[in-house]
Amino acid sequence: MLRRIFKIIILFFSITAFAQENYTISGYVQDESSGENLIGVSIYDKENYKGTASNQYGFYSLTLEEGSYEIIYSFIGYKSISKTLKLNKNIRLNISLINDAILTDEVIVTGERLDKNVTSSNMSQSKIEVNNIKQLPVILGEVDIMKAAQLLPGIQSGGEGNSGLYVRGGGPDQNLILLDEAVVYNAAHLFGFFSVFNADAIKDINIIKGGMPAEYGGRLSSVLDITMKDGNNKKYEADGGIGLLSSRLTIQGPVQKNKSSFIVSGRRTYIDVLSKPFMPKDNAFNGSGYYFYDLTTKINYRISDKDRLYLSGYFGRDVFSFANSDNDIGIEIPWGNATTSIRWNHLFNDKLFMNTSLIFSDYRFEFNINQQDFELKIFSGINDWNTKVDFLYQPNQRHTVKFGLNYTYHEFTPGNASGKSGEVVFEADEIFKQYSNEGALYLSDDFEVTDALKIHAGLRYSSFQHSGYISFRDYVKNEFSVSDDNYRHIEPRLSFRYRLSTTSSIKGAYTQNYQYIHLASTSSVSLPTDLWVPSSSGIEPKFSDQYAIGYFKNLNDNMYETSIEAYYKEMTNLLEYKEGVLPEDNTNSSSDDAFAFGDGDSYGIEVLLKKNKGKTTGWIGYTLSKTTKYFDQVNEGIAFPAKYDRRHDLSITATHKLSNKWTLSSIFVYATGNAITLPTERYMISGNIYTEYTSRNGFRMDPYHRLDIGATYTPKKKKNYQSSWNFSIYNVYSRKNPYFIYFALEPNDGEEGSFEDGNVTPKAYQVSIFPILPSITWNFNF
């Protein structure tokens, strides 16, 4: 049946193309020096500016009527190429572009065509250029993709140093984070202070806040689609850096020149290694420490001009250990992600491109403790096995059709424990797991109705089946708790662009999204202890309706880019822990009864002013928004602000190329304080202590603001060797931004007292973690 549908779609557009006697120019666009496929290259007819752009794998297809054309291949930061072609047959043309960064003093902050924000039908989408964020000041010298994304309007942080994304009122679990198409479930190192992505191995970063295309699904709020570098297929090279917190090294090169290449990129912290010699062996805490590491790898092979293979992987771990010989106790807490993607590109003809993927994702968390004869192990996680097939069909210059399907098998381990105490053993056969099947079909068309009006229409059919529960003991006995919880939904996606002039346009979007897996959290930030749970008979899928409209205007030959967007989002079946319930209460059992369910809404205005080129570049982003939740079983049924609700959020970034050797940069951020729940009073009745709290999230912390500055020194290149020094100061004026607030009982009037005699009063204390922090990083390439 599915094959017939695909054939009908292809036949319809083929008939249209044939009737117009059109011919197609197609091929791949790559970097001349490295052979890397280039994403988003503009390919267009010089006379009427009609064209297309290269896809995620560098492939393009442009169909025009018979005739002679001057075709331009243009990509910011590269020298444009012009090809004069007589189009009386289909032409296969692969293009290599030369990086012209060494030919100009200008800095470019985008790799896309500069007027794409006005001309495309994409709504609420942004690209982050890795080379530009490497120039920005960062905490402890760690370049962080997630923190760079937080500087865009509509995207907020969870607090001081936190790398989580809170997009248009959504929580961290409502973001689909992809690394070479593999889902990354926990994108943070060091309890959220750093992201898991090594910028040296990243080629492209695309963020979608609204107007989500039909090929994406399973999340309510956003998509962060990250593409890894393929590896240099021309020559071997190495680059890396040494900073205060960690060091990194990337090696890439050809396996078979111009045909196959590889890249291996590793990173590790070394505070534990450096501090070890200074820790006396007789110290009770000898053996305690923390470190994280990650390894990113990829290899690709060009079988022919029509077939290519890619194999990519990621493996990362955080390990926290604590030892106290006085108490004979040892604790180890490891957690992290692992992903593998195998992809096959096939070109059926000049207009039809296919990508088939086999993907594995794994996230796991463990807590291990040993003390004398007592041992305890708590662990949780999620595994995904995913297969997907995606098609790109471009029948002519007015249509870009995408369709495909995907299937994911989920295995949840929501919280299990095993251990022993003396001779008593808690067997591992009580491991509790849940299984689910998730699938989707989608179809979309980016259709240019007229020169002024462009419409992107899509439809996504999603399904989810919770297969049931099982423990290891039940598996041995072949006894399953079978469930028949099936959910099937249609998700429409629609966006439009209407050009008011060559430099301005109005855009709008409407999207429906269903989310079938949920993150259960008790914290305002995403922690490794948070549990992923599937939809079931007791947990319905989350659902959202989002509306957005915006005005886009470019000035001074696209030097300045401006936009203002307004959005409104309704969310249903949101999930929170019930009041008084903790994750450990449901160890080795279903957690369905631990949750309360409710609705929410979010609305706001986002303003962006961006300078794209020149010696001074950067942007100003401002968001005015409000996010509210409604839970019958929480806060006595009274509406309350979400914990990530921010009324005002302002980000200012600037980069200035002072000379060929020096580049200066700065960041300023301001945000309304987090909403939290605090105790208001404590009292004793009949020897029992009682605490009264504010309404849910009824207290606002002080506003958050911070100024960072940085400078990059790049000496003249020596033959095949290049190095640079990055200096940065985080929190220049040492603002004591609130991280959390705790309470302690203080005697009244400086007198000694106790709670029983009433001579004490609870007093609040604010904890701030990052004062002014200078850092230095040495980077190299050869």
Side-chain angles (χ1 to χ4, degrees):
M1 180 65 182
L2 185 61
R3 178 181 292 182
R4 290 180 181 177
I5 294 173
F6 290 165
K7 285 183 176 179
I8 291 170
I9 294 170
I10 295 170
L11 180 61
F12 170 77
F13 287 111
S14 297
I15 293 172
T16 303
F18 179 78
Q20 296 175 345
E21 296 183 345
N22 292 339
Y23 295 99
T24 301
I25 312 160
S26 64
Y28 291 85
V29 187
Q30 64 180 20
D31 182 289
E32 170 70 27
S33 61
S34 68
E36 282 275 355
N37 293 327
L38 297 179
I39 303 171
V41 176
S42 296
I43 302 101
Y44 59 93
D45 171 26
K46 185 178 181 180
E47 183 176 344
N48 59 25
Y49 289 92
K50 300 296 183 183
T52 187
S54 58
N55 71 1
Q56 185 179 357
Y57 300 95
F59 173 76
Y60 74 95
S61 176
L62 178 61
T63 299
L64 300 167
E65 295 181 7
E66 183 177 355
S68 296
Y69 296 92
E70 185 176 356
I71 304 299
I72 306 297
Y73 295 81
S74 176
F75 195 51
I76 302 302
Y78 287 78
K79 186 177 180 180
S80 296
I81 288 181
S82 174
K83 293 288 185 181
T84 301
L85 302 173
K86 185 176 181 181
L87 200 59
N88 54 14
K89 62 180 180 179
N90 293 333
I91 297 175
R92 181 67 53 81
L93 185 60
N94 296 330
I95 295 293
S96 296
L97 298 183
I98 299 174
N99 191 317
D100 68 353
I102 60 174
L103 304 178
T104 178
D105 289 334
E106 282 195 333
V107 177
I108 306 295
V109 299
T110 177
E112 300 180 291
R113 181 172 166 178
L114 289 179
D115 64 349
K116 187 176 182 180
N117 65 306
V118 172
T119 60
S120 77
S121 62
N122 294 336
M123 182 74 179
S124 307
Q125 296 191 24
S126 302
K127 278 191 179 291
I128 298 178
E129 295 300 316
V130 176
N131 290 335
N132 292 316
I133 65 175
K134 286 183 176 181
Q135 303 288 340
L136 296 175
V138 290
I139 183 171
L140 296 176
E142 286 296 307
V143 176
D144 196 318
I145 291 171
M146 306 289 278
K147 286 189 173 62
Q150 292 170 357
L151 300 174
L152 297 171
I155 303 177
Q156 302 166 355
S157 70
E160 175 74 278
N162 182 258
S163 62
L165 301 182
Y166 298 80
V167 182
R168 291 185 171 178
D173 67 319
Q174 296 178 19
N175 306 309
L176 180 62
I177 301 176
L178 302 173
L179 180 63
D180 269 7
E181 300 186 17
V183 175
V184 178
Y185 280 99
N186 189 312
H189 281 309
L190 192 57
F191 301 99
F193 290 111
F194 303 102
S195 77
V196 300
F197 305 111
N198 185 348
D200 289 345
I202 302 303
K203 175 167 62 176
D204 185 74
I205 307 164
N206 188 35
I207 300 176
I208 304 172
K209 301 178 295 181
M212 190 182 298
E215 62 261 35
Y216 298 107
R219 301 293 188 276
L220 298 190
S221 292
S222 75
V223 178
L224 180 62
D225 195 351
I226 301 172
T227 303
M228 292 168 50
K229 291 179 178 177
D230 297 328
N232 194 320
N233 65 22
K234 305 284 187 179
K235 62 180 181 180
Y236 294 99
E237 65 174 300
D239 57 88
I242 300 174
L244 297 180
L245 181 69
S246 69
S247 289
R248 63 190 194 280
L249 177 65
T250 300
I251 300 174
Q252 57 183 314
V255 177
Q256 184 177 351
K257 194 171 182 179
N258 296 321
K259 198 174 184 69
S260 178
S261 62
F262 75 93
I263 182 170
V264 178
S265 186
R267 178 175 58 161
R268 193 194 191 278
T269 57
Y270 37 65
I271 297 298
D272 60 317
V273 178
L274 296 179
S275 63
K276 192 172 183 179
F278 301 98
M279 179 73 73
K281 292 184 178 180
D282 58 353
N283 189 295
F285 297 99
N286 185 40
S288 301
Y290 168 83
Y291 64 91
F292 72 74
Y293 63 90
D294 45 52
L295 179 68
T296 307
T297 63
K298 189 173 185 178
I299 186 170
N300 69 90
Y301 180 67
R302 186 178 303 166
I303 302 172
S304 67
D305 201 35
K306 289 189 174 184
D307 296 278
R308 303 184 183 201
L309 286 175
Y310 299 85
L311 173 62
S312 53
Y314 169 86
F315 183 84
R317 283 290 181 270
D318 290 64
V319 179
F320 173 78
S321 58
F322 174 80
N324 188 329
S325 58
D326 290 344
N327 297 324
D328 192 24
I329 187 173
I331 298 174
E332 185 178 63
I333 309 175
W335 72 91
N337 302 274
T339 69
T340 302
S341 302
I342 302 173
R343 293 174 291 169
W344 167 47
N345 292 172
H346 178 68
L347 191 60
F348 288 98
N349 54 49
D350 296 321
K351 299 178 181 180
L352 182 60
F353 176 91
M354 180 193 72
N355 177 67
T356 302
S357 304
L358 297 174
I359 303 165
F360 172 75
S361 296
D362 171 84
Y363 172 71
R364 62 183 61 235
F365 166 81
E366 293 183 19
F367 177 89
N368 305 307
I369 182 171
N370 294 277
Q371 186 174 27
Q372 297 177 354
D373 293 333
F374 175 78
E375 294 181 8
L376 176 66
K377 179 179 181 180
I378 300 175
F379 51 96
S380 64
I382 179 172
N383 291 335
D384 284 353
W385 288 265
N386 173 234
T387 180
K388 60 196 296 282
V389 183
D390 301 289
F391 294 88
L392 170 65
Y393 183 59
Q394 295 178 288
N396 53 55
Q397 64 189 31
R398 289 191 178 273
H399 288 275
T400 299
V401 180
K402 294 183 179 180
F403 57 98
L405 56 91
N406 65 69
Y407 165 77
T408 303
Y409 178 73
H410 300 287
E411 180 183 276
F412 299 86
T413 309
N416 289 272
S418 63
K420 70 176 183 178
S421 180
E423 299 299 323
V424 179
V425 178
F426 304 96
E427 295 289 348
D429 60 4
E430 291 301 321
I431 295 176
F432 179 81
K433 292 188 176 183
Q434 296 173 280
Y435 302 92
S436 300
N437 301 284
E438 184 173 0
L441 301 171
Y442 73 88
L443 170 66
S444 68
D445 186 11
D446 199 33
F447 174 39
E448 191 168 12
V449 182
T450 67
D451 290 344
L453 179 62
K454 193 172 190 178
I455 295 176
H456 184 101
L459 203 63
R460 183 181 181 89
Y461 170 78
S462 61
S463 66
F464 188 87
Q465 180 193 35
H466 182 217
S467 300
Y469 313 89
I470 185 174
S471 70
F472 184 77
R473 176 181 293 172
D474 294 332
Y475 178 79
V476 173
K477 295 180 179 181
N478 199 29
E479 296 177 355
F480 297 81
S481 175
V482 179
S483 173
D484 191 25
D485 305 322
N486 295 309
Y487 296 98
R488 298 180 180 89
H489 297 103
I490 299 292
E491 304 173 30
R493 314 287 174 83
L494 180 67
S495 61
F496 74 89
R497 176 228 68 198
Y498 186 81
R499 295 194 68 166
L500 302 174
S501 67
T502 56
T503 60
S504 64
S505 65
I506 294 175
K507 297 183 184 182
Y510 169 72
T511 56
Q512 275 192 9
N513 293 79
Y514 283 89
Q515 180 169 332
Y516 298 102
I517 63 174
H518 316 265
L519 185 67
S521 174
T522 59
S523 171
S524 61
V525 298
S526 180
L527 295 175
T529 53
D530 296 341
L531 303 178
W532 287 94
V533 294
S535 294
S536 62
S537 58
I539 303 177
E540 294 186 5
K542 295 177 182 176
F543 170 73
S544 73
D545 272 313
Q546 184 176 166
Y547 308 83
I549 191 165
Y551 173 71
F552 300 79
K553 172 71 174 178
N554 286 5
L555 304 167
N556 197 12
D557 192 26
N558 297 313
M559 177 177 286
Y560 296 96
E561 172 186 328
T562 65
S563 67
I564 178 168
E565 296 185 40
Y567 75 90
Y568 176 75
K569 180 161 64 175
E570 292 181 324
M571 298 166 282
T572 60
N573 299 326
L574 300 180
L575 178 149
E576 297 257 349
Y577 274 110
K578 291 179 181 177
E579 293 181 336
V581 175
L582 296 175
E584 56 267 27
D585 296 340
N586 298 93
T587 300
N588 288 15
S589 64
S590 171
S591 56
D592 289 11
D593 294 333
F595 306 120
F597 305 94
D599 302 330
D601 58 47
S602 181
Y603 53 90
I605 297 175
E606 301 166 1
V607 180
L608 177 68
L609 171 60
K610 186 177 182 181
K611 188 171 186 289
N612 283 318
K613 55 185 179 179
K615 288 192 173 183
T616 302
T617 58
W619 68 84
I620 300 173
Y622 171 72
T623 304
L624 174 67
S625 64
K626 183 177 182 179
T627 304
T628 308
K629 290 188 173 183
Y630 312 88
F631 282 70
D632 291 338
Q633 294 178 283
V634 177
N635 202 43
E636 299 179 346
I638 302 172
F640 59 93
K643 54 193 174 186
Y644 33 81
D645 172 55
R646 298 276 182 86
R647 194 70 66 250
H648 305 281
D649 196 273
L650 172 70
S651 300
I652 303 174
T653 71
T655 302
H656 178 72
K657 189 171 183 180
L658 191 64
S659 66
N660 289 332
K661 293 184 178 181
W662 283 99
T663 300
L664 308 179
S665 60
S666 64
I667 295 174
F668 175 77
V669 295
Y670 173 90
T672 301
N674 283 346
I676 60 174
T677 305
L678 292 180
T680 55
E681 59 178 321
R682 288 176 179 167
Y683 52 87
M684 178 176 288
I685 300 177
S686 301
N688 296 318
I689 299 174
Y690 294 88
T691 303
E692 295 290 338
Y693 291 88
T694 63
S695 60
R696 175 66 70 100
N697 298 333
F699 179 83
R700 288 280 178 181
M701 289 185 177
D702 290 339
Y704 180 95
H705 54 88
R706 188 190 79 241
L707 173 68
D708 310 330
I709 59 174
T712 300
Y713 174 70
T714 307
K716 188 176 180 180
K717 187 174 183 179
K718 298 180 180 179
K719 294 184 179 180
N720 295 323
Y721 172 76
Q722 178 75 67
S723 68
S724 66
W725 292 88
N726 181 273
F727 309 90
S728 64
I729 301 177
Y730 181 89
N731 197 4
V732 171
Y733 51 85
S734 200
R735 160 74 174 176
K736 292 183 178 179
N737 287 302
Y739 187 62
F740 66 85
I741 294 174
Y742 73 94
F743 283 78
L745 298 178
E746 298 287 340
N748 291 330
D749 301 322
E751 302 176 3
E752 293 185 1
S754 65
F755 199 89
E756 287 79 2
D757 60 27
N759 202 29
V760 293
T761 301
K763 185 176 181 180
Y765 289 90
Q766 174 183 297
V767 175
S768 303
I769 54 174
F770 289 135
I772 181 171
L773 286 176
S775 64
I776 180 172
T777 304
W778 175 61
N779 302 298
F780 59 87
N781 173 268
F782 57 87

